[in-house]
């Protein structure tokens, strides 16, 4: 059984030997700190695991087996933001626990985990307390010895970790007091990072192949790296079932696939098309869970807006059972995809593409000349699909055409957003305008999906001898919302398609 804790901390080191001899200053009176309680000294022995080429360290993750102290066991630390990490812990065992292996799978893949560094620390612990005696933070002073093969290094490190719910501003106040006493914020993000640096074993820099600086190829590849990194980083988040993680991973898949299509004159489609198909597969597997989340939230919101007099029968219980069945199936499908060899092969193929990019002649061209043509091509594609949809009578065929227009709007928006670093405000302006079209069409499509689900719920309710009235009311409401979206579309599209929106690109 794994436990997770959010760590908010700051690491310090003495800037001069004279400061180290004086030691850590008394923090009593700093911000809300009313007392400092000495908790004694403990000895810690930690072995850090990684791949031979240090893939975890390169991404700021640490995986260790530690003995000593109250939290002996396996610890995996996942970066959230500077100074903030999620620590996932499991009980002590000889081998790396399978639950933690799964969380690093998108990085490790088939490389395997091996002991890399041993850190032996003597830790003096103090509790920083407020006026009521409540814990604000833990102050640790560590005398560290790092061993890697025949190499070793030693240093003193001071760490302040906030207790749950404490305002992070406390760390700023502590840092101010420490600076006056000759301590500065550590350059190393973790003990492991410092140990690797001081034993001449820092992770190798990632290769960043691409075209000349300022070229279309350089900008496109930088965007693809960003999305590849997001795809890899969201894998453990999805496994932990963190909020919005499935959506973010799916977005990374879609942005990658969209970029392959948009910038097909920069990258060889013979290479990118097969990878794009695999991205489409993964997005579809993830979509089952994400679509369920969106649909459930929509129905729940609309149910909550109905007067109680219109809630006939056990509608909430019916919805709960309906969702539980779908959720269980969707979760199994999502985890099955992430655990598959197909997913690892996809990640490997993305790495290979970025290390040896299949650049075409246009990739060497200046970004400000090549990228606008690709962005405007996708916008023209959207315009054609909008015109087609608006020419149809309301009904099933128009719903399908609007769905196709929605997908084109998303691709157009992604194309413009990808070009923002190179093209600046003109691309940003177009992306913002197209996003409004996409949002309107997205709401319309969500309503189409919701109507089908509501019809199914009504059938289930009727078969169980329950009233189907409330489901019918919600169905009618979705129809009305769809008609409103269709009425708003011409005006929304007129604003987005105004030539002034595309100025600077044409």
């Amino acid at each position: 059984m794994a436990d997770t804790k959010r760590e908010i901390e700051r690491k310090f080191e003495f800037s001069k030997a004279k400061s180290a001899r004086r030691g850590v200053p008394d923090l009593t009176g700093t911000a809300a700190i009313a007392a400092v309680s000495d908790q004694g000294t403990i000895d810690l022995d930690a072995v850090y695991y990684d791949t031979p080429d240090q893939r975890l360290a390169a991404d700021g993750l640490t995986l260790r087996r530690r003995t000593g102290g109250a939290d002996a066991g396996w610890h995996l630390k996942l970066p959230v933001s500077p100074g903030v990490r999620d620590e996932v812990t499991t009980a002590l065992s000889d081998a790396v626990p399978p639950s933690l292996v799964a969380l690093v799978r998108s990085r490790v893949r088939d490389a395997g985990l091996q002991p890399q560094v041993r850190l032996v620390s003597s830790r003096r612990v103090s509790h920083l307390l407020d006026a009521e005696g409540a814990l604000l933070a833990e102050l640790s002073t560590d005398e560290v010895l790092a061993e890697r093969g025949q190499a070793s290094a030693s240093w003193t490190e001071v760490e302040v970790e906030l207790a749950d719910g404490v305002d992070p501003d406390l760390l700023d106040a502590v840092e101010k007091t420490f600076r006056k006493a000759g301590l500065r914020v550590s350059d190393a993000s973790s003990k492991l990072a410092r140990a690797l640096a001081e034993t001449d074993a820092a992770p190798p820099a990632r290769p960043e192949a691409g075209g000349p600086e300022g070229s279309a190829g350089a900008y496109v590849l930088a965007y693809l790296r960003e999305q590849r990194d997001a795809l890899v980083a969201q894998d453990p988040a999805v496994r932990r079932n963190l909020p919005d993680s499935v959506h973010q991973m799916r977005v990374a898949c879609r942005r990658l696939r969209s970029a392959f299509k948009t910038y097909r004159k920069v990258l060889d489609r013979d290479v990118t098309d097969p990878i794009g198909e695999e991205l489409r597969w993964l997005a579809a597997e993830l979509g089952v869970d994400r679509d369920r989340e969106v649909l459930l939230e929509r129905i729940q919101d609309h149910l909550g807006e109905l007067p109680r007099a219109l809630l006939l029968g056990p509608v909430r219980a019916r919805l709960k059972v309906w969702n539980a069945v779908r959720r269980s199936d969707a979760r199994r499908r999502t985890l099955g995809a992430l655990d598959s060899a197909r997913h690892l092969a996809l990640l490997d193929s993305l790495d290979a593409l970025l290390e040896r990019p299949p650049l075409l002649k246009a990739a060497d061209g200046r970004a400000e000349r090549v990228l606008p043509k690709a962005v405007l091509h996708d916008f023209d594609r959207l315009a054609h699909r909008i015109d087609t949809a608006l020419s149809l009578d309301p009904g099933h065929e128009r719903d399908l055409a609007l769905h196709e227009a929605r997908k084109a709007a998303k691709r157009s928006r992604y194309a413009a957003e990808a070009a923002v670093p190179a093209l600046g405000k003109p691309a940003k302006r177009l992306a913002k305008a197209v996003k409004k079209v996409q949002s309107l069409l997205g709401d319309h499509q969500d309503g189409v999906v919701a109507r089908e689900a509501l019809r199914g719920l009504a059938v289930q309710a009727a078969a169980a001898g329950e009233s189907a009235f409330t489901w019918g009311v919600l169905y009618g409401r979705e129809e009305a919302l769809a008609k409103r979206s269709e009425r708003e579309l011409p005006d929304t599209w007129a604003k987005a398609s105004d030539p002034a929106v595309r100025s600077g690109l044409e």
Side-chain angles (χ1 to χ4, degrees):
M1 181 72 178
D3 296 316
T4 301
K5 181 181 183 299
R6 175 66 53 90
E7 281 188 347
I8 303 177
E9 63 185 17
R10 199 164 296 177
K11 297 179 183 296
F12 302 88
E13 58 187 65
F14 292 99
S15 55
K16 297 179 181 179
K18 183 178 180 181
S19 301
R21 288 194 296 271
R22 287 198 301 263
V24 178
D26 184 4
L27 291 171
T28 303
T30 299
I33 301 171
V36 178
S37 175
D38 186 5
Q39 301 296 304
T41 301
I42 56 176
D43 294 323
L44 305 172
D45 191 337
V47 176
Y48 287 76
Y49 284 67
D50 206 337
T51 61
D53 56 355
Q54 298 173 32
R55 298 180 188 181
L56 300 185
D59 279 356
L61 283 73
T62 61
L63 173 63
R64 71 188 179 202
R65 181 186 186 275
R66 189 166 79 180
T67 56
D71 62 346
W74 286 91
H75 305 165
L76 171 64
K77 296 192 178 186
L78 300 154
V80 176
S81 59
V84 181
R85 296 187 292 180
D86 279 348
E87 183 178 49
V88 184
T89 62
T90 65
L92 200 62
S93 60
D94 292 335
V96 183
S99 61
L100 300 188
V101 171
L103 292 179
V104 298
R105 193 166 185 259
S106 62
R107 271 97 171 184
V108 173
R109 300 177 204 173
D110 295 325
L113 292 164
Q114 301 172 8
Q116 300 294 325
V117 179
R118 181 187 181 198
L119 296 184
V120 180
S121 305
S122 177
R123 168 171 292 183
R124 182 177 179 181
V125 179
S126 296
H127 286 174
L128 308 181
L129 310 175
D130 67 12
E132 282 72 44
L135 180 65
L136 293 173
E138 184 172 275
L139 168 65
S140 303
T141 303
D142 292 347
E143 301 293 336
V144 184
L145 171 64
E147 299 175 338
R148 179 179 171 86
Q150 299 301 311
S152 65
S154 60
W155 67 89
T156 300
E157 178 178 289
V158 179
E159 177 182 295
V160 180
E161 181 180 341
L162 296 181
D164 293 342
V166 174
D167 190 336
D169 286 348
L170 178 66
L171 292 176
D172 294 332
V174 169
E175 180 181 337
K176 185 176 180 180
T177 300
F178 276 1
R179 272 203 312 268
K180 294 177 181 178
L183 285 99
R184 60 181 177 85
V185 176
S186 176
D187 294 330
S189 59
S190 66
K191 287 185 178 66
L192 175 63
R194 182 164 183 173
L196 292 173
E198 296 205 9
T199 58
D200 297 321
R206 283 181 176 174
E208 293 195 355
E213 184 177 355
S215 67
Y219 277 104
V220 170
L221 288 171
Y223 179 77
L224 294 179
R225 287 189 198 97
E226 180 182 335
Q227 303 312 315
R228 184 275 313 272
D229 291 348
L231 186 64
V232 169
Q234 288 300 327
D235 182 296
V238 171
R239 293 176 186 275
R240 294 167 60 204
N241 207 21
L242 296 184
D244 204 42
S245 58
V246 171
H247 173 60
Q248 292 302 324
M249 191 173 190
R250 195 180 184 194
V251 166
C253 289
R254 286 174 165 173
R255 287 183 182 275
L256 282 163
R257 186 165 174 256
S258 181
F260 290 159
K261 293 182 177 180
T262 296
Y263 299 111
R264 60 192 179 280
K265 291 189 176 181
V266 174
L267 295 168
D268 187 350
R269 291 191 65 176
D270 287 343
V271 176
T272 61
D273 278 356
I275 301 175
E277 283 303 302
E278 292 304 284
L279 289 165
R280 185 168 70 89
W281 160 76
L282 181 57
E285 297 300 297
L286 296 168
V288 175
D289 200 22
R290 173 60 182 168
D291 292 344
R292 176 200 59 78
E293 290 178 351
V294 172
L295 180 56
L296 175 65
E297 183 177 350
R298 185 181 184 96
I299 295 175
Q300 286 178 328
D301 287 347
H302 289 179
L303 267 177
E305 294 168 359
L306 289 181
R308 294 190 58 164
L310 299 183
L311 299 178
L312 303 186
V315 288
R316 296 191 186 281
R318 168 65 55 192
L319 182 61
K320 185 177 181 179
V321 171
W322 173 85
N323 180 63
V325 173
R326 290 165 56 90
R327 181 179 183 180
S328 178
D329 291 343
R331 183 70 179 159
R332 281 197 297 270
R333 186 166 171 177
T334 295
L335 293 179
L338 296 185
D339 285 336
S340 69
R342 187 174 181 178
H343 177 46
L344 294 189
L346 168 59
L347 297 178
D348 286 341
S349 67
L350 286 170
D351 287 351
L353 179 143
L354 291 169
E355 290 171 10
R356 298 178 296 279
L359 298 175
L360 300 177
K361 184 178 180 180
D364 290 334
R366 299 297 300 173
E368 59 268 25
R369 296 185 61 185
V370 176
L371 302 189
K373 294 179 182 179
V375 171
L376 291 173
H377 179 273
D378 277 355
F379 182 83
D380 290 342
R381 178 172 172 269
L382 167 61
H384 174 72
R385 293 199 179 182
I386 291 283
D387 290 343
T388 298
L390 292 177
S391 70
L392 298 173
D393 293 330
H396 180 65
E397 292 302 319
R398 182 183 239 197
D399 288 344
L400 293 177
L402 289 171
H403 182 42
E404 292 301 311
R406 170 178 174 260
K407 291 189 286 185
K410 187 175 295 184
R411 177 166 153 183
S412 179
R413 171 193 161 198
Y414 288 165
E417 288 176 344
V420 166
L423 307 181
K425 289 184 178 179
K428 190 174 183 178
R429 182 172 56 244
L430 179 61
K432 184 178 179 180
V434 172
K435 184 178 180 180
K436 293 180 180 179
V437 177
Q438 178 196 330
S439 296
L440 183 64
L441 294 172
D443 189 64
H444 182 275
Q445 177 60 19
D446 288 347
V448 171
V449 174
R451 290 205 302 271
E452 184 62 27
L454 291 167
R455 181 180 178 279
L457 284 162
V459 170
Q460 292 175 17
E466 302 164 4
S467 172
F469 174 81
T470 300
W471 306 118
V473 170
L474 292 180
Y475 188 99
R477 180 172 183 169
E478 290 290 0
E479 283 189 320
L481 289 172
K483 290 177 182 178
R484 186 177 73 181
S485 294
E486 292 178 33
R487 288 195 302 269
E488 293 175 358
L489 179 58
D491 184 56
T492 303
W493 172 242
K495 293 176 181 178
S497 58
D498 187 325
V501 172
R502 302 189 298 283
S503 64
L505 296 174
E506 295 180 317

